Amino acid sequence: MSTQQPPDQHAHTTRPESPDSQEADTKVTVPGPATVASGTVGFAKSRRASLLGAIFLMATSAIGPGFITQTATFTATLGAAFAFGILVSILIDFIVQANIWQIITLSGRRAAELANSAIPFSGYVLSVLVIVGGLVFNIGNIAGAGLGMNALFGLDAKIGGAISAILAIAIFLSHRAGIIMDRAIIVLGVVMVLLTIAVAIVANPPVGEALRQTVLPDTIDFAAITTIVGGTVGGYITYAGAHKLLDSGTAGPEHIKEVTRSAFFGIAVTGIMRYVLFLAFLGVTASGVLLDLSANPAAQAFEAAAGEWGMRAFGLVLWAAALSSVIGAAFTSVSFMTVFSAKLDLRRRSWATVIFIAVGLVAYLLMGTTPVALLVFAGGFNGLILPIGFTVFMYIAWFRRDLLNGHRVNPWLLWLGTLMTILTWYMGVVSFSTIFKFLGA
């Protein structure tokens, strides 16, 4: 769970067009030289914006409430050895994202539609997994919003989660509020990055030990790695960036190089941020501070390093990230429902999204599991379903070039993707029971 925005992150604010506007769109205009020139410039800017948007989508997904809480939890239990888990998660994320981005942009089709074309009914299975995983994510996102309000105002996490979910529905239904929220998230995201770097410096972590255990860990915890991977690239996040590129017209073999470059740049930036966040928590735990894993370990770590101001600032950022994630996870998960019925128009999808958020809230309020445990479990659960969808797309990449318009994914990505498919299946099998035990934390 993370600060995930939907691929069509502003689509939830769009109202159905009137018949007049649709009729106006059918009028043909003959462009003159100035129109063509300005159109070319506008198209170039739009293309750059779409790539930056996909990168930002990936970046905010990687350092959202789920990853922050999971990192605090596993750093407290594994210490410097968790550095290896961070490294592996970054490698898996890049290989998964780069493959999916290339496959979807080469095909020009959305994930569920492409899967159905390759293996009958597999798109329906994929959609069910994404929707269920998105619901689990959203329960965790609401829990994360509750933790944010707890750190910010001292409110009970359940009350904070309820207020946040209701506010998320209001924002989803309001055009202007949605735009304000999108801009506020960017500002708060920058604050989070600066705050994390400051805390990492103040915490004075054992960098040498962390670097050693990045490649030579004292222990390897596959459940922790699966959870981190699931929280940053599992569920709908796997396809969100690729769908955003598709919606913006960035499809076809002519865009493969820039798509792969964007995936690499996005993962590199978020990878650095993940490692810095880990170092911040490691510095706190290495100094002897004991984090209460049943409460709000991430906020406690920031408070230990930067005082009450650090805890309050962290609470604000965590809450904003979680609130945005509630809307993004709900909207994107519901968008996968369209594969089941063409009658699911914008209006019905809007109501389905509101219901989706409400169901997540009710589930959160009824469950006796702590918010931290929910955030950790959500990542683990989505890590378990990741290899299922990825296997389908690796099959398409290897054997169904006809669905990719005769083109082929870069061979080195195909081989690495195959290795990662095997690895994610192995991690899922060996960590299955451990992940479900997180619910009892």
Side-chain angles (χ1 to χ4, degrees), residues 99-300:
N99 271 287
I100 294 295
W101 283 26
Q102 284 206 11
I103 292 168
I104 288 180
T105 53
L106 279 174
S107 70
R109 306 184 189 185
R110 286 180 172 271
E113 177 189 348
L114 180 58
N116 271 340
S117 299
I119 305 174
F121 304 108
S122 63
Y124 299 124
V125 175
L126 176 64
S127 295
V128 170
L129 290 174
V130 169
I131 292 167
V132 173
L135 180 60
V136 175
F137 256 134
N138 233 21
I139 296 171
N141 289 332
I142 294 172
L147 286 178
M149 293 198 78
N150 173 262
L152 188 58
F153 301 116
L155 278 178
D156 178 87
K158 294 278 187 181
I159 296 175
I163 294 173
S164 300
I166 293 171
L167 183 59
I169 292 174
I171 290 173
F172 176 81
L173 296 175
S174 172
H175 174 72
R176 292 193 176 277
I179 294 174
I180 294 172
M181 185 68 186
D182 288 340
R183 292 175 179 174
I185 287 300
I186 296 176
V187 175
L188 290 169
V190 173
V191 172
M192 181 175 69
V193 171
L194 296 177
L195 181 62
T196 301
I197 293 174
V199 169
I201 294 173
V202 173
N204 191 28
V207 177
E209 179 65 11
L211 291 175
R212 182 186 72 80
Q213 298 217 43
T214 299
V215 292
L216 296 172
D218 292 340
T219 181
I220 298 176
D221 189 326
F222 285 111
I225 297 173
T226 302
T227 298
I228 287 292
V229 170
T232 55
V233 76
Y236 78 88
I237 304 174
T238 310
Y239 314 100
H243 282 184
K244 184 173 180 63
L245 290 174
L246 202 63
D247 292 339
S248 66
T250 309
E254 65 272 21
H255 301 300
I256 285 302
K257 287 186 178 180
E258 57 184 332
V259 164
T260 304
R261 187 165 54 247
S262 298
F264 178 78
F265 180 75
I267 288 294
V269 172
T270 56
I272 293 172
M273 266 307 302
R274 291 185 210 175
Y275 204 84
V276 170
L277 184 66
F278 157 71
L279 289 176
F281 291 133
L282 181 63
V284 172
T285 57
S287 68
V289 175
L290 296 178
L291 302 180
D292 183 1
L293 300 185
S294 65
N296 196 344
Q300 295 166 23

Side-chain angles (χ1 to χ4, degrees), residues 5-14 175 178-179 182 244 331:
Q5 300 280 342
D8 322 322
Q9 59 179 318
H10 296 300
H12 61 272
T13 62
T14 304
H175 174 72
I179 294 174
D182 288 340
K244 184 173 180 63
F331 181 83

Side-chain angles (χ1 to χ4, degrees), residues 16-87:
E17 294 180 334
S18 65
D20 292 339
S21 65
Q22 291 176 349
E23 189 174 274
D25 288 341
T26 62
K27 295 179 180 178
V28 178
T29 302
V30 180
T35 306
V36 172
S38 61
T40 302
V41 174
F43 180 76
K45 289 182 177 179
S46 176
R47 178 60 43 75
R48 287 196 298 270
S50 67
L51 290 171
L52 288 174
I55 292 172
F56 181 75
L57 179 63
M58 182 191 299
T60 53
S61 298
I63 51 177
F67 179 80
I68 292 171
T69 304
Q70 293 156 13
T71 302
T73 301
F74 291 127
T75 303
T77 55
L78 298 175
F82 187 52
F84 178 76
I86 298 290
L87 174 63

